[in-house]
Amino acid sequence: MKAHYPVVLAIMAAVAGCSSEHKNDQNKLEKQQTQAAGTFGYDLAFLKKYKETIVLTAPDNPEARALINPAFQGRVMTSTANGDSGNSYGWINYKLIESGQYQLHMNGFGGEERFWLSPEGGQFSVYFKKGQSFEFENWQTPALIDTVAYKVAESDASSVRFEVDAMIENYSGKMFVIGISRKVQMLTKENIANLLDLPALSGVKAVAYRSINSVTNKDEAWKPETGMLGIWLLGMFRPSDKTTIIAPFSKALSEKPLITDDYFGKIPAERLVVKDSVLFLKADGKHRSKIGIAPKSARNVAGSYDAEKGILTIIQYDLDPRGQYMKSTWELHKDPYNGDALNAYNDGKLADGTQMGPFYELESNSSVKALKGGEAITHRQSTFHFEGDKAALNAIAEKVLGVNIDQIGEIF
């Protein structure tokens, strides 16, 4: 037996060495992850730790990626144009996800595109129960768009589609029996150039995806007098002191811009600037403010520019300028089908000093229709992020949003 002691000791030493090396590697990895906060790789590791996370990759670019979570209603949590070490564009509520606890009223998990339903307020609201006053303590985000996991119906390396069937009741007592389909698909460079009517994508790194969202009526016909449902897509992004929201508008159907800017009180002049055909809103996450643009004035694009990191973000969505859109303000409405097509929000502290973020949001809404049984409404939105040469970013901003990068930087 003694002859085997050296061998045993050697094995024990090797195991101890491997264990020590493994521990060092773990410590090194944890340190790298701490240092890499704000990158796509950091967010991928975090989300995979707590929830099933689907990674989508653009068919023609392995660096262009996005993270999708079935447990969070198939929302796009974040994306990047530059692989694991690249900037992570979506705002994620790490503390809430890490806690594993559900919150009253709403679970603000974050994510740069989530699926919601409208309207939020009014006699056809699906966020308030019949007879309740429109006050925060009564406001409740339906579980269907807050805590219910969506089933993966099909997927591949660059796309995933979710399905869910549900029943949901509005403030007037109308019960909707619906089927929801949501598909998220990564876009190629050619797709991006074609959708935004760009000659080419030179001098920039880019990532983009399109979501196709449908709500099918699986019951009796919807009637305007008892309410309808709309599709509402909201994207939460990381703010900075140098980030500005850009919302172009049109005067083709209304010479006076149909803009609502007092959702949470009048926005200070140093935070909101409305020029001839474009609105600018400061997106620093330090003052709670929201704007809305009616379909007759909205254009089918909006965006933001982070001058600090050189990130240009654009959303492009389906728009029906003459369509009916649900009104969501917290009150009974004389004109419930005269709502916004586009919304933008800058986070800030509440009256009690608390704050969910900071983040800012770009939001689009679908028009609504009195669907017959078996009919559906569909709303599509594409989200684009660009980084790179300033001249190249400026060419995109001028072509799509009608603004100059330097002009944006000088607004606030």
Side-chain angles (χ1 to χ4, degrees), residues 354-375:
T354 61
Q355 184 173 358
M356 183 192 297
F359 57 84
Y360 71 93
E361 289 184 319
L362 297 173
E363 312 170 11
S364 74
N365 299 276
S366 76
S367 59
V368 297
K369 295 176 182 176
L371 299 179
K372 296 177 182 177
E375 291 184 337

Side-chain angles (χ1 to χ4, degrees), residues 211-229:
S211 74
I212 304 170
N213 308 271
S214 297
V215 173
T216 300
N217 175 19
K218 294 194 169 185
D219 198 9
E220 61 186 17
W222 296 0
K223 299 177 181 177
E225 58 267 28
T226 53
M228 296 186 273
L229 295 174

Side-chain angles (χ1 to χ4, degrees), residues 21-214:
E21 286 177 18
H22 179 70
K23 190 174 288 185
N24 287 337
D25 287 343
Q26 281 292 108
N27 292 337
K28 191 175 181 181
L29 179 61
E30 288 174 8
K31 188 175 180 182
Q32 286 175 342
Q33 287 178 340
T34 300
Q35 292 172 338
T39 66
F40 183 82
Y42 178 92
D43 286 344
L44 172 58
F46 174 83
L47 289 171
K48 287 181 77 171
K49 184 178 178 181
Y50 295 99
K51 295 291 181 182
E52 177 193 358
T53 300
I54 297 170
V55 183
L56 298 184
T57 305
D60 63 342
N61 181 5
E63 300 292 287
R65 306 165 74 194
L67 302 180
I68 322 295
N69 283 92
F72 300 147
Q73 304 79 53
R75 77 182 69 189
V76 181
M77 294 303 292
T78 192
S79 64
T80 188
N82 203 26
D84 282 352
S85 62
N87 285 311
S88 186
Y89 303 123
W91 178 80
I92 296 173
N93 193 337
Y94 302 107
K95 288 184 179 179
L96 179 57
I97 295 172
E98 199 170 28
S99 74
Q101 301 295 314
Y102 285 143
Q103 304 291 300
L104 188 63
H105 304 299
M106 168 196 171
N107 288 277
F109 299 119
E112 63 171 86
E113 194 204 82
R114 73 180 186 271
F115 175 92
W116 264 19
L117 295 169
S118 65
E120 184 177 359
Q123 56 267 49
F124 304 135
S125 168
V126 288
Y127 297 74
F128 290 89
K129 291 183 179 179
K130 189 172 184 178
Q132 291 182 333
S133 59
F134 296 109
E135 297 176 39
F136 181 74
E137 57 263 32
N138 296 325
W139 177 69
Q140 182 62 53
T141 307
L144 173 63
I145 53 173
D146 189 45
T147 56
V148 171
Y150 283 13
K151 179 183 177 182
V152 175
E154 56 182 343
S155 66
D156 55 36
S158 60
S159 69
V160 59
R161 186 172 67 84
F162 301 91
E163 287 183 349
V164 63
D165 291 326
M167 297 174 67
I168 189 168
E169 188 175 9
N170 72 10
Y171 187 89
S172 295
K174 163 65 178 175
M175 181 65 75
F176 296 93
V177 181
I178 58 174
I180 294 170
S181 172
R182 171 171 165 79
K183 181 177 182 178
V184 180
Q185 182 170 18
M186 301 297 289
L187 301 177
T188 64
K189 294 175 184 177
E190 184 179 3
N191 294 151
I192 295 170
N194 289 339
L195 283 169
L196 298 180
D197 194 22
L198 300 171
L201 289 180
S202 57
V204 296
K205 287 184 176 293
V207 62
Y209 54 87
R210 165 176 277 194
S211 74
I212 304 170
N213 308 271
S214 297

Side-chain angles (χ1 to χ4, degrees), residues 261-281:
D261 61 3
D262 58 355
Y263 280 94
F264 307 118
K266 196 69 177 174
I267 304 172
E270 65 270 18
R271 291 187 159 273
L272 175 67
V273 173
V274 180
K275 292 188 175 289
D276 183 57
S277 59
V278 63
L279 173 156
F280 300 93
L281 179 67

